[in-house]
Amino acid sequence: MSKSLKAIRQEIDNINDSILEMLNKRTELIKEITDLKDQNGSEYFDPERETEMMKKVLSKNSGPLYNELIREVFSAIFSTSLKFMGISRQKKLLVSSSSNACFKSINEMFGLGNNEPVIIAGPCAVETPEYLETIAKHLRDKNIRFIRAGAYKPRSSPYDFQGLKENGLKILQDVSKRYGLFSITEVVDTRDVNLVTQYVDILQIGARNMQNFELLKEVGKTNHPVLLKRGISATIQELMLAAEYIALKGNNKIILCERGIRTYETKTRNTLDISSIPIIKKETHLPIVADISHSLGRKDIVNNIAKAVLAAGADGIMVEVHPIPELALSDSKQQLNLSEFDDMLDFIKR
Amino acid sequence: MSKSLKAIRQEIDNINDSILEMLNKRTELIKEITDLKDQNGSEYFDPERETEMMKKVLSKNSGPLYNELIREVFSAIFSTSLKFMGISRQKKLLVSSSSNACFKSINEMFGLGNNEPVIIAGPCAVETPEYLETIAKHLRDKNIRFIRAGAYKPRSSPYDFQGLKENGLKILQDVSKRYGLFSITEVVDTRDVNLVTQYVDILQIGARNMQNFELLKEVGKTNHPVLLKRGISATIQELMLAAEYIALKGNNKIILCERGIRTYETKTRNTLDISSIPIIKKETHLPIVADISHSLGRKDIVNNIAKAVLAAGADGIMVEVHPIPELALSDSKQQLNLSEFDDMLDFIKR
Amino acid sequence: MSKSLKAIRQEIDNINDSILEMLNKRTELIKEITDLKDQNGSEYFDPERETEMMKKVLSKNSGPLYNELIREVFSAIFSTSLKFMGISRQKKLLVSSSSNACFKSINEMFGLGNNEPVIIAGPCAVETPEYLETIAKHLRDKNIRFIRAGAYKPRSSPYDFQGLKENGLKILQDVSKRYGLFSITEVVDTRDVNLVTQYVDILQIGARNMQNFELLKEVGKTNHPVLLKRGISATIQELMLAAEYIALKGNNKIILCERGIRTYETKTRNTLDISSIPIIKKETHLPIVADISHSLGRKDIVNNIAKAVLAAGADGIMVEVHPIPELALSDSKQQLNLSEFDDMLDFIKR
Amino acid sequence: MSKSLKAIRQEIDNINDSILEMLNKRTELIKEITDLKDQNGSEYFDPERETEMMKKVLSKNSGPLYNELIREVFSAIFSTSLKFMGISRQKKLLVSSSSNACFKSINEMFGLGNNEPVIIAGPCAVETPEYLETIAKHLRDKNIRFIRAGAYKPRSSPYDFQGLKENGLKILQDVSKRYGLFSITEVVDTRDVNLVTQYVDILQIGARNMQNFELLKEVGKTNHPVLLKRGISATIQELMLAAEYIALKGNNKIILCERGIRTYETKTRNTLDISSIPIIKKETHLPIVADISHSLGRKDIVNNIAKAVLAAGADGIMVEVHPIPELALSDSKQQLNLSEFDDMLDFIKR
């Protein structure tokens, strides 16, 4: 005669209790391993050991539960062990907030002496020395410390203005030196990294190159601060992993940059993902700034968004400024003129 | 003296084995319950029992593993039990391919006597009786059995043409009857469902209303076949769940319709998600057609895409046809004229 | 003998000048019409007249420029005329900032006596009267004036908790009255609008129903303030057009609500489109709030994002609060407990 | 006394007629220029001349129509002139179907002697020589001519398998030579292009590098066929522009590859944009294949989608095949085993 539903359920409850007991015993053992590893400094997470345990378990399984379901349960068990040890697989990243790796704040990178948000401003591209000088002078007068300008311009179309290349670097170096500004420019080819480091203070990796891993490794080998822009459809996790490529080469001066993601919305050029800012601050050690101009592609709402980005916890903002935006060779619609830039500075201080 | 890493790992392996044993014993008990339930026809999945088991387990937990991690492992265990019984939470859906619920094929709904893909054609909206008659005659001459035309047109702007409403229904009924065609039209308000069922053969739920659950329930109460369009940014899973709302009210004549999803690409109006077709065929019992015209928003590639959609396994296609597309009150760019329609018919037969 | 390139170019320049002259003459005439229309109060934009002009022009075209290209040029001409008159096609919307229609601020709707950002808080759903009472008391003690709670819960799955319906409305009314709070709840069916208006102060249209135009029209007929949420993949323009449906029925108490859009990013439930806030403030007369909890689907970054949203210019924020979020019947992960809510209030005031 | 509305409208009609006349005269002159340019072979589209004309017009504008509106009308006029000459700005691309540039079909690139769709198959990555040999033998036995396998694997995480690099190239060369297969592998760094061309027959540019323009230029300088994958969120237009970078360096052996775009849908890894196939066929001279495995990230629907892609007009498909997919070092879920691959071949022939 078959057992009653109630009786079977009681047996299941008992088994649940036994499993509970096993899980806690297992956790005690995990703790012992953790202690051992702490003593000899080895890594907690050992994927090979995990694979080996899984194989052993599956090899002993005689059913009725299928291997594929057994695997699901043990994956959960292994995962909770890792979490118990305080390290999930992804938290193992150097750049993660749970790592001991030491990354510099923007303040520390440049010896700024305060922790106020930084403002990085300048034209989309280096065009004439006169334009750049006008901007640099204006920035210095406003106590802005960072000037941006592209010498290598990756453009969707080969027929669009591609930048002045090394000539542009020279103009940027000359002007930034004379006005005491830190310069930032994009590098787009592994073969150019050495050249660019000779001219500028900060290397920018553009959105299109966020997963150009060879380029990331190459800038990771330099001592220069790197500003890494989020790809146009990269997840926050992928941005962190891209930064990890740089960090693994020994560079601890990494600044992340939110610059909007591609969505269906057309009133802005991209959709600034403001939530990425507190998430990055929480999940990593790295500073993050937001590129307002590239996100928006319009300038009438720059003030509000700049203020919002700082309220969200960003370490700084990046904006495009040009003496005569209408005549700019690229991105003319989104560049602020000098007076609009001053307005923005006032607005975000209010 | 502390144990060696190897010794601890051996102990963990032993515990893994014990857990394995428990999981299989537990599964034996699950089988017994399944048998019992089969005898008395009750439902396998019992969320209350699951909640109760979880509570019991957690109440007995004395650590060191935290409750939140214990919960993760037991969720995995409960989930594998369900899968073992052949019912995952989502497979429990009436519309899923693992359910015993009985849904009609398009052939069965309309007594078509063959299983060839159906073609649903007609203008975006009912405009004049003359236009509709021209189309209906053409369809009949081509042995097409379904005519579509909107009487209620949900439009993003209140200033766009909103349809002829009940007058449109009358024209559609008159013309479709005279030419022996099955008619299909959209219904947009719970209060209109009864009215619309009196005039047409198939009720269409538009993309904007895919999650208008009250409307879904209302058409679920009728005996009319329902063509349910995927929302502009709905997941395939959400489409299935929307169909479930209809099925739960007793309607087993449901036709799903892929009509493109909103992405950043601008060369087409929406991005037709062709993969949804074999996925729906695999994961549900329901027929699925694709609305080529609304996906593409252009007509120069209709032939290729129609053929592709059928190759992917769709039960039919839906296209917009108009005697003089240039004069159509809506969607004029994507409607085929009669000769283009004939070309498409030839093309997909090749 | 053929003319030189230079000579032909000179002729083209001359024609350009003539066209320029014609355009300015045409504009003088447009000004006269504008003045006439101002005198008798008629609408500037007259689509029939435009269609008629286009027909006339095309009928007279004898080439060599094709009709389709002629049409492009004249479309541009007609469009600039409209812009010159200060009304583009879309600016014609009642809700647009260039319209004279009169919409109420949140302050005016509720006689609040100040223009501080409002905070709308409460549980995802009405569950027990005790829970709601606990929250209401807490809100009143914190000088919060708005309580939200769903009685009709549209859920992707028919097997998820669907709300207490009219019983929920009664609980919400009772509690909100006793604590002097304005209540807000979602309405999901045209047939329920009258019922819901009897119980609550503000009607919410949820994201799934943003383009349920019949429902929009129905709430447009009431005198109740309406909070209209942006659809999960609606453009800002579509949100404005949805509001227009309400406005056209005579309701001038409309509050828009940004609540995140669907993207590929998985660290948040949706991607809050912060740029929509200053854009809406600039392009319409309507107040806008942001639903922080539904955007994020997590609560650890609520404080930062709430602050950012207000810095961007929002008229208020909406957050989910529950006495014991772990036990909530829906959205338990994103609801703040009372102490977290207090933290947020402190944080945004800093 | 002011004129009547009717009178003013009559005057506007007259001006419209004059503008029409001017436009047609202007077009006659454009034709003369076209003839001249045909004689001396110069380029029709001359952006400098356009800029110069616009400046002249604006400099003469004395209102009342604002410069910005004048600019809109003349932009439309200039644009129609270009279209009249049969070249829109984008149609100027070498890769566009309206260009005279000569690109090779896949058949011509490899001397295949027929125009049947090609099948490119192989493992995600080169792992052991034995695996690759097993696959190569199988492909040869099935008359497949192309083998793919990655030696450089760009991976989101630096901790994932990165490929065997030059060793992998050697294995691939050895195996493909012995079995008479054309080999294809990804190149990820400008500095590696020369090396890779020595080992394989086709250079692949991966999705992440679609806008790594320096890499595009570098492969453009080789004589090797290049398979260019669409970026994960690239538009079709951007894909065409990326191909243009290659073409401009003189390489006329370019194969485009649709491989799915990033959307919110989670049942597939990416959303295969099937419409891109006929659009590319229509708008360019280039062959296009679809990478089924990477699009889908699952293999149970590969057969249907492969068939659909060919029905849509693709020149071929790319699929991942591995002797023991479960043991693959990457992408194990989406790789077909040999028997599944044979099933697919049968299925697409039906």
Side-chain angles (χ1 to χ4, degrees):
Chain A
M1 203 204 88
S2 74
K3 289 177 278 188
S4 71
L5 182 61
K6 198 177 161 193
I8 307 175
R9 287 187 160 178
Q10 181 58 50
E11 289 185 55
I12 290 180
D13 282 347
N14 294 343
I15 288 187
N16 288 346
D17 291 350
S18 303
I19 294 175
L20 173 65
E21 198 183 335
M22 297 291 169
L23 290 173
N24 276 316
K25 271 195 197 159
R26 202 177 176 285
T27 304
E28 295 286 359
L29 292 163
I30 295 292
K31 275 172 73 175
E32 290 185 37
I33 286 187
T34 309
D35 292 344
L36 264 188
K37 290 198 172 175
D38 278 347
Q39 284 167 32
N40 61 25
S42 61
E43 181 65 70
Y44 294 153
F45 175 51
D46 180 348
E48 285 187 23
R49 163 71 181 151
E50 231 181 59
T51 309
E52 183 205 311
M53 280 194 294
M54 188 67 91
K55 268 192 194 161
K56 277 192 192 166
V57 166
L58 294 178
S59 71
K60 291 193 180 157
N61 183 32
S62 55
L65 200 52
Y66 318 122
N67 270 1
E68 127 194 28
L69 298 178
I70 291 289
R71 185 191 291 272
E72 281 186 25
V73 176
F74 275 90
S75 291
I77 292 173
F78 297 166
S79 154
T80 54
S81 299
L82 283 173
K83 285 180 189 161
F84 180 77
M85 291 189 286
I87 44 152
S88 75
R89 273 170 191 76
Q90 79 179 61
K91 280 204 177 139
K92 184 174 156 281
L93 296 181
L94 291 177
V95 302
S96 77
S97 49
S98 62
S99 129
N100 291 319
C102 191
F103 288 93
K104 301 228 180 277
S105 69
I106 295 181
N107 180 21
E108 289 163 350
M109 290 180 208
F110 303 99
L112 298 180
N114 70 54
N115 280 311
E116 281 186 21
V118 299
I119 291 168
I120 303 169
C124 182
V126 183
E127 295 166 348
T128 69
E130 293 71 27
Y131 282 167
L132 204 64
E133 175 129 16
T134 306
I135 298 163
K137 185 171 178 313
H138 191 87
L139 294 180
R140 191 200 52 189
D141 293 351
K142 290 282 170 182
N143 286 317
I144 305 300
R145 304 298 307 278
F146 297 87
I147 188 166
R148 55 147 291 155
Y152 299 88
K153 298 299 304 173
R155 303 295 299 274
S156 294
S157 167
Y159 302 110
D160 286 340
F161 176 59
Q162 309 270 320
L164 299 180
K165 309 217 163 56
E166 191 167 357
N167 276 342
L169 295 176
K170 284 176 183 165
I171 297 172
L172 178 57
Q173 184 185 45
D174 172 60
V175 170
S176 60
K177 286 263 153 75
R178 284 194 287 112
Y179 289 90
L181 300 170
F182 298 107
S183 59
I184 172 166
T185 208
E186 182 165 353
V187 57
V188 296
D189 190 336
T190 48
R191 297 169 300 188
D192 297 337
V193 173
N194 278 335
L195 181 76
V196 178
T197 55
Q198 292 162 32
Y199 288 106
V200 301
D201 300 302
I202 308 173
L203 302 173
Q204 177 179 314
I205 301 294
R208 290 179 181 86
N209 281 312
M210 189 199 86
Q211 291 194 320
N212 182 342
F213 302 119
E214 302 310 312
L215 187 58
L216 298 180
K217 291 175 197 166
E218 212 61 34
V219 299
K221 292 178 197 161
T222 73
N223 265 323
H224 270 52
V226 176
L227 184 137
L228 173 63
K229 285 197 166 183
R230 181 177 182 183
I232 205 170
S233 69
T235 62
I236 298 169
Q237 187 66 22
E238 287 168 346
L239 175 60
M240 287 167 59
L241 288 166
E244 188 77 0
Y245 272 95
I246 301 172
L248 277 170
K249 291 293 177 191
N251 192 326
N252 66 355
K253 299 177 196 148
I254 304 172
I255 304 168
L256 301 182
C257 181
E258 162 66 30
R259 44 78 70 223
I261 58 175
R262 185 167 262 180
T263 70
Y264 61 87
E265 175 60 53
T266 54
K267 286 204 189 251
T268 47
R269 179 168 161 181
N270 293 120
T271 298
L272 188 127
D273 179 11
I274 197 155
S275 313
S276 71
I277 293 167
I279 290 173
I280 287 288
K281 297 303 290 178
K282 188 162 182 275
E283 300 194 6
T284 78
H285 285 304
L286 306 177
I288 182 166
V289 301
D291 181 339
I292 311 292
S293 304
H294 277 91
S295 304
L296 302 181
R298 57 192 278 178
K299 55 189 187 179
D300 58 344
I301 57 170
V302 161
N303 292 3
N304 292 278
I305 298 303
K307 197 169 186 175
V309 155
L310 296 174
D315 298 288
I317 57 171
M318 203 165 172
V319 285
E320 290 190 345
V321 181
H322 191 285
I324 316 171
E326 297 73 20
L327 295 183
L329 294 174
S330 52
D331 288 347
S332 67
K333 281 190 187 166
Q334 75 200 27
Q335 303 199 53
L336 303 177
N337 63 33
L338 300 179
S339 134
E340 289 161 340
F341 176 68
D342 294 350
D343 280 352
M344 187 205 72
L345 293 180
D346 289 345
F347 189 88
I348 60 179
K349 275 176 201 153
R350 266 182 239 158
Chain B
M1 202 204 87
S2 75
K3 288 178 278 188
S4 73
L5 181 61
K6 200 179 158 190
I8 307 175
R9 285 186 162 177
Q10 183 57 52
E11 288 186 54
I12 290 181
D13 282 347
N14 294 343
I15 288 188
N16 288 346
D17 292 350
S18 303
I19 294 175
L20 174 66
E21 198 184 335
M22 295 291 169
L23 290 173
N24 276 316
K25 271 194 195 160
R26 202 177 176 286
T27 304
E28 293 287 0
L29 292 163
I30 295 292
K31 275 172 72 175
E32 290 185 36
I33 285 186
T34 308
D35 292 344
L36 264 187
K37 289 197 171 173
D38 278 346
Q39 283 166 34
N40 62 24
S42 61
E43 182 63 73
Y44 295 152
F45 175 53
D46 180 347
E48 284 187 24
R49 163 69 180 154
E50 231 182 58
T51 309
E52 182 206 311
M53 280 193 293
M54 188 68 90
K55 267 190 195 163
K56 276 191 192 166
V57 167
L58 294 179
S59 71
K60 290 193 181 159
N61 183 32
S62 56
L65 201 51
Y66 318 121
N67 271 1
E68 125 194 29
L69 298 178
I70 290 289
R71 184 191 292 271
E72 281 186 26
V73 176
F74 276 90
S75 292
I77 292 172
F78 296 167
S79 155
T80 55
S81 299
L82 281 173
K83 285 179 189 163
F84 180 79
M85 291 189 286
I87 43 154
S88 74
R89 274 171 191 75
Q90 82 179 56
K91 282 208 178 131
K92 186 172 156 284
L93 296 182
L94 289 178
V95 301
S96 78
S97 49
S98 61
S99 129
N100 291 320
C102 190
F103 288 92
K104 302 233 180 270
S105 69
I106 295 182
N107 180 20
E108 289 164 351
M109 290 180 206
F110 302 100
L112 297 180
N114 70 53
N115 280 312
E116 280 184 23
V118 299
I119 291 168
I120 304 169
C124 183
V126 183
E127 295 167 347
T128 69
E130 292 71 27
Y131 282 166
L132 204 64
E133 176 128 18
T134 305
I135 298 163
K137 185 170 178 315
H138 191 85
L139 293 180
R140 191 200 52 191
D141 293 350
K142 291 281 171 182
N143 285 317
I144 305 299
R145 304 298 309 277
F146 297 88
I147 188 167
R148 56 146 290 155
Y152 300 88
K153 300 298 305 170
R155 305 297 298 276
S156 294
S157 167
Y159 302 109
D160 287 339
F161 176 58
Q162 309 271 320
L164 300 180
K165 309 212 162 58
E166 191 166 0
N167 276 342
L169 295 176
K170 284 177 182 163
I171 296 172
L172 178 57
Q173 183 185 46
D174 171 59
V175 170
S176 60
K177 285 263 152 73
R178 281 194 290 112
Y179 289 90
L181 300 170
F182 298 107
S183 59
I184 171 165
T185 209
E186 181 165 354
V187 57
V188 296
D189 189 336
T190 48
R191 296 169 300 188
D192 296 337
V193 173
N194 278 336
L195 181 77
V196 178
T197 56
Q198 291 163 32
Y199 287 106
V200 300
D201 300 302
I202 309 173
L203 302 174
Q204 176 180 315
I205 302 293
R208 288 180 182 85
N209 281 313
M210 190 200 85
Q211 291 195 319
N212 182 342
F213 302 118
E214 302 310 312
L215 186 58
L216 298 179
K217 291 176 196 167
E218 211 62 34
V219 299
K221 290 180 199 162
T222 74
N223 265 323
H224 270 51
V226 176
L227 184 136
L228 173 64
K229 287 197 164 184
R230 181 177 181 183
I232 204 170
S233 70
T235 62
I236 298 170
Q237 186 65 23
E238 287 168 348
L239 174 60
M240 289 167 58
L241 288 166
E244 187 79 0
Y245 271 97
I246 300 172
L248 276 171
K249 290 293 177 191
N251 192 327
N252 66 354
K253 299 176 197 149
I254 304 173
I255 304 168
L256 300 183
C257 180
E258 162 66 31
R259 43 81 67 221
I261 59 175
R262 185 165 261 179
T263 69
Y264 62 85
E265 175 60 54
T266 53
K267 285 204 189 254
T268 47
R269 178 168 162 180
N270 292 120
T271 298
L272 187 124
D273 179 11
I274 196 153
S275 313
S276 71
I277 293 167
I279 290 174
I280 286 289
K281 297 303 290 179
K282 190 165 181 272
E283 300 194 6
T284 79
H285 286 303
L286 305 178
I288 180 166
V289 301
D291 181 339
I292 311 292
S293 305
H294 277 90
S295 303
L296 302 181
R298 57 192 279 177
K299 55 188 186 179
D300 58 345
I301 57 169
V302 160
N303 292 4
N304 292 279
I305 298 303
K307 199 169 184 175
V309 154
L310 295 174
D315 298 287
I317 56 171
M318 202 164 173
V319 283
E320 290 190 346
V321 181
H322 191 285
I324 316 171
E326 298 73 20
L327 296 183
L329 295 174
S330 51
D331 288 346
S332 66
K333 281 187 188 171
Q334 75 199 27
Q335 304 200 52
L336 303 177
N337 65 33
L338 300 180
S339 135
E340 290 162 338
F341 178 67
D342 294 350
D343 279 352
M344 186 204 73
L345 293 180
D346 290 345
F347 188 88
I348 60 178
K349 272 174 202 154
R350 268 182 237 161
Chain C
M1 204 202 84
S2 74
K3 289 176 275 185
S4 71
L5 182 61
K6 199 178 157 191
I8 307 175
R9 287 188 161 175
Q10 182 58 52
E11 289 187 53
I12 291 181
D13 282 346
N14 294 343
I15 289 190
N16 288 346
D17 292 349
S18 303
I19 294 176
L20 173 66
E21 197 184 338
M22 296 291 170
L23 290 173
N24 277 316
K25 272 195 194 158
R26 200 178 178 285
T27 306
E28 296 285 0
L29 292 163
I30 295 292
K31 275 172 73 174
E32 291 186 37
I33 286 187
T34 309
D35 292 343
L36 264 188
K37 289 198 173 174
D38 279 346
Q39 285 166 31
N40 61 24
S42 61
E43 183 65 71
Y44 295 152
F45 176 50
D46 180 347
E48 285 187 23
R49 163 70 180 151
E50 232 181 59
T51 309
E52 183 205 311
M53 280 193 293
M54 187 69 89
K55 268 191 194 162
K56 276 191 191 167
V57 167
L58 294 179
S59 72
K60 291 193 178 158
N61 183 32
S62 55
L65 200 52
Y66 317 122
N67 269 2
E68 125 194 31
L69 298 178
I70 291 288
R71 184 191 293 274
E72 281 184 28
V73 176
F74 276 89
S75 291
I77 293 173
F78 296 167
S79 155
T80 53
S81 299
L82 281 173
K83 286 181 190 161
F84 180 79
M85 290 190 285
I87 43 153
S88 74
R89 275 171 191 72
Q90 79 180 60
K91 280 207 178 133
K92 184 176 158 279
L93 296 181
L94 291 178
V95 302
S96 77
S97 49
S98 61
S99 127
N100 291 319
C102 191
F103 289 92
K104 301 232 180 267
S105 68
I106 295 181
N107 180 20
E108 288 163 351
M109 290 180 207
F110 303 100
L112 298 180
N114 70 54
N115 280 311
E116 281 185 23
V118 298
I119 291 169
I120 304 169
C124 183
V126 182
E127 295 166 348
T128 68
E130 292 73 25
Y131 282 167
L132 204 65
E133 176 128 19
T134 306
I135 299 162
K137 186 170 178 313
H138 191 87
L139 295 179
R140 189 201 51 190
D141 293 351
K142 291 281 171 181
N143 286 316
I144 306 300
R145 303 297 307 277
F146 297 88
I147 188 165
R148 53 147 292 154
Y152 300 87
K153 299 299 304 173
R155 305 296 298 275
S156 294
S157 167
Y159 302 109
D160 286 339
F161 176 59
Q162 308 271 321
L164 299 180
K165 310 215 159 59
E166 191 166 359
N167 275 344
L169 295 176
K170 284 177 182 164
I171 296 172
L172 179 57
Q173 183 184 45
D174 171 59
V175 170
S176 60
K177 287 262 153 74
R178 283 194 287 111
Y179 289 90
L181 300 170
F182 298 107
S183 60
I184 171 166
T185 208
E186 182 166 353
V187 56
V188 296
D189 189 337
T190 47
R191 297 170 299 188
D192 297 337
V193 172
N194 278 337
L195 181 76
V196 177
T197 55
Q198 291 162 33
Y199 288 106
V200 300
D201 300 302
I202 308 172
L203 302 173
Q204 177 180 312
I205 301 293
R208 290 178 180 86
N209 281 313
M210 190 201 85
Q211 290 193 322
N212 181 340
F213 302 118
E214 302 310 312
L215 185 58
L216 298 180
K217 292 176 196 166
E218 209 63 33
V219 300
K221 291 180 198 160
T222 74
N223 265 323
H224 270 52
V226 176
L227 184 137
L228 173 64
K229 286 195 165 184
R230 182 177 179 183
I232 204 170
S233 68
T235 61
I236 297 169
Q237 187 65 25
E238 287 169 347
L239 174 61
M240 287 166 58
L241 288 166
E244 187 79 359
Y245 272 95
I246 301 172
L248 276 171
K249 291 294 176 190
N251 191 327
N252 66 355
K253 299 176 196 151
I254 304 174
I255 304 168
L256 300 183
C257 181
E258 162 66 34
R259 46 78 69 220
I261 59 175
R262 184 166 262 181
T263 70
Y264 62 85
E265 175 60 53
T266 54
K267 286 204 189 254
T268 47
R269 181 170 162 178
N270 294 119
T271 298
L272 188 126
D273 179 11
I274 196 154
S275 313
S276 71
I277 293 166
I279 290 174
I280 286 288
K281 296 302 290 179
K282 189 163 182 276
E283 300 193 6
T284 78
H285 285 304
L286 306 178
I288 181 167
V289 300
D291 181 339
I292 311 291
S293 305
H294 276 91
S295 304
L296 301 181
R298 57 192 278 177
K299 54 189 187 181
D300 57 345
I301 56 169
V302 160
N303 292 4
N304 292 279
I305 298 304
K307 198 168 184 174
V309 154
L310 296 174
D315 298 288
I317 57 171
M318 203 165 173
V319 284
E320 289 189 346
V321 181
H322 192 285
I324 317 173
E326 297 74 19
L327 297 182
L329 295 175
S330 52
D331 288 347
S332 66
K333 281 188 188 167
Q334 77 199 26
Q335 303 200 52
L336 303 177
N337 64 32
L338 300 180
S339 135
E340 289 162 339
F341 177 67
D342 293 351
D343 279 354
M344 187 204 73
L345 293 180
D346 289 346
F347 189 89
I348 59 179
K349 274 174 201 156
R350 267 181 238 158
Chain D
M1 203 203 87
S2 75
K3 288 178 276 189
S4 70
L5 182 60
K6 200 178 158 191
I8 306 175
R9 286 185 161 178
Q10 183 56 53
E11 290 186 52
I12 290 180
D13 283 345
N14 294 343
I15 289 188
N16 288 346
D17 292 350
S18 304
I19 294 176
L20 174 66
E21 196 182 338
M22 296 291 170
L23 289 173
N24 276 316
K25 271 193 196 160
R26 201 176 179 285
T27 305
E28 295 286 1
L29 292 163
I30 295 291
K31 274 172 74 175
E32 291 186 36
I33 286 186
T34 309
D35 293 343
L36 263 188
K37 290 197 172 174
D38 278 346
Q39 284 166 34
N40 61 24
S42 61
E43 182 63 75
Y44 294 155
F45 176 51
D46 180 348
E48 285 186 22
R49 162 72 180 151
E50 228 180 62
T51 309
E52 183 206 310
M53 279 194 293
M54 188 68 90
K55 268 190 195 163
K56 277 191 193 168
V57 166
L58 295 179
S59 72
K60 293 196 176 155
N61 182 33
S62 55
L65 199 50
Y66 317 123
N67 270 1
E68 123 194 33
L69 298 179
I70 291 288
R71 184 190 293 272
E72 282 184 28
V73 176
F74 276 90
S75 292
I77 291 172
F78 297 167
S79 155
T80 54
S81 299
L82 282 172
K83 286 179 188 162
F84 179 78
M85 290 188 286
I87 44 153
S88 74
R89 274 172 193 72
Q90 80 180 58
K91 280 204 179 138
K92 184 175 155 283
L93 295 182
L94 291 177
V95 302
S96 78
S97 49
S98 62
S99 128
N100 291 320
C102 191
F103 288 92
K104 301 231 181 270
S105 69
I106 295 181
N107 180 21
E108 290 162 351
M109 290 180 207
F110 304 99
L112 298 180
N114 70 53
N115 280 311
E116 281 185 22
V118 299
I119 291 169
I120 303 169
C124 182
V126 184
E127 294 166 348
T128 69
E130 292 74 26
Y131 281 168
L132 203 65
E133 176 127 17
T134 305
I135 297 164
K137 187 172 177 313
H138 191 86
L139 293 180
R140 191 202 50 191
D141 293 350
K142 291 280 171 184
N143 286 318
I144 305 300
R145 303 297 308 277
F146 297 88
I147 188 166
R148 53 146 292 153
Y152 300 88
K153 300 297 306 170
R155 305 295 300 275
S156 294
S157 167
Y159 302 110
D160 286 339
F161 176 59
Q162 309 271 318
L164 299 180
K165 309 215 161 55
E166 191 167 358
N167 276 342
L169 294 176
K170 285 178 181 163
I171 296 172
L172 179 57
Q173 183 185 45
D174 172 59
V175 170
S176 61
K177 285 262 151 74
R178 283 195 286 113
Y179 289 91
L181 301 170
F182 297 107
S183 59
I184 172 166
T185 208
E186 181 165 355
V187 56
V188 297
D189 190 337
T190 48
R191 298 169 300 186
D192 297 337
V193 172
N194 278 336
L195 182 76
V196 178
T197 55
Q198 293 163 32
Y199 288 107
V200 300
D201 301 303
I202 308 172
L203 303 173
Q204 176 180 314
I205 301 293
R208 288 178 180 87
N209 281 313
M210 191 199 85
Q211 291 194 321
N212 182 341
F213 301 117
E214 302 309 312
L215 186 58
L216 298 179
K217 290 177 198 166
E218 211 61 34
V219 299
K221 291 179 198 160
T222 75
N223 265 322
H224 271 52
V226 176
L227 184 137
L228 173 64
K229 287 195 164 185
R230 180 177 181 183
I232 205 171
S233 69
T235 62
I236 297 170
Q237 187 65 22
E238 287 167 348
L239 174 61
M240 289 167 58
L241 288 166
E244 187 78 359
Y245 271 96
I246 300 172
L248 276 171
K249 290 294 176 190
N251 193 326
N252 66 354
K253 300 176 196 150
I254 304 172
I255 305 168
L256 300 182
C257 180
E258 163 65 32
R259 43 80 68 223
I261 58 174
R262 186 166 259 179
T263 70
Y264 62 84
E265 176 59 54
T266 55
K267 285 204 191 254
T268 47
R269 180 167 159 182
N270 293 120
T271 297
L272 187 126
D273 179 11
I274 197 154
S275 313
S276 71
I277 293 167
I279 290 173
I280 287 288
K281 297 303 290 178
K282 189 162 183 275
E283 300 194 4
T284 78
H285 286 305
L286 305 178
I288 181 166
V289 300
D291 180 340
I292 311 292
S293 305
H294 277 91
S295 304
L296 301 181
R298 57 192 279 177
K299 56 189 186 180
D300 58 345
I301 58 171
V302 160
N303 292 4
N304 292 279
I305 297 304
K307 198 169 185 172
V309 155
L310 295 174
D315 297 287
I317 57 171
M318 203 166 174
V319 283
E320 289 190 346
V321 180
H322 192 285
I324 318 173
E326 297 74 19
L327 296 183
L329 294 175
S330 51
D331 287 347
S332 66
K333 282 190 186 164
Q334 76 199 27
Q335 304 200 52
L336 302 177
N337 64 32
L338 300 180
S339 135
E340 289 162 340
F341 176 66
D342 293 350
D343 280 353
M344 186 204 73
L345 292 180
D346 290 345
F347 188 89
I348 59 178
K349 273 173 201 155
R350 266 181 239 159

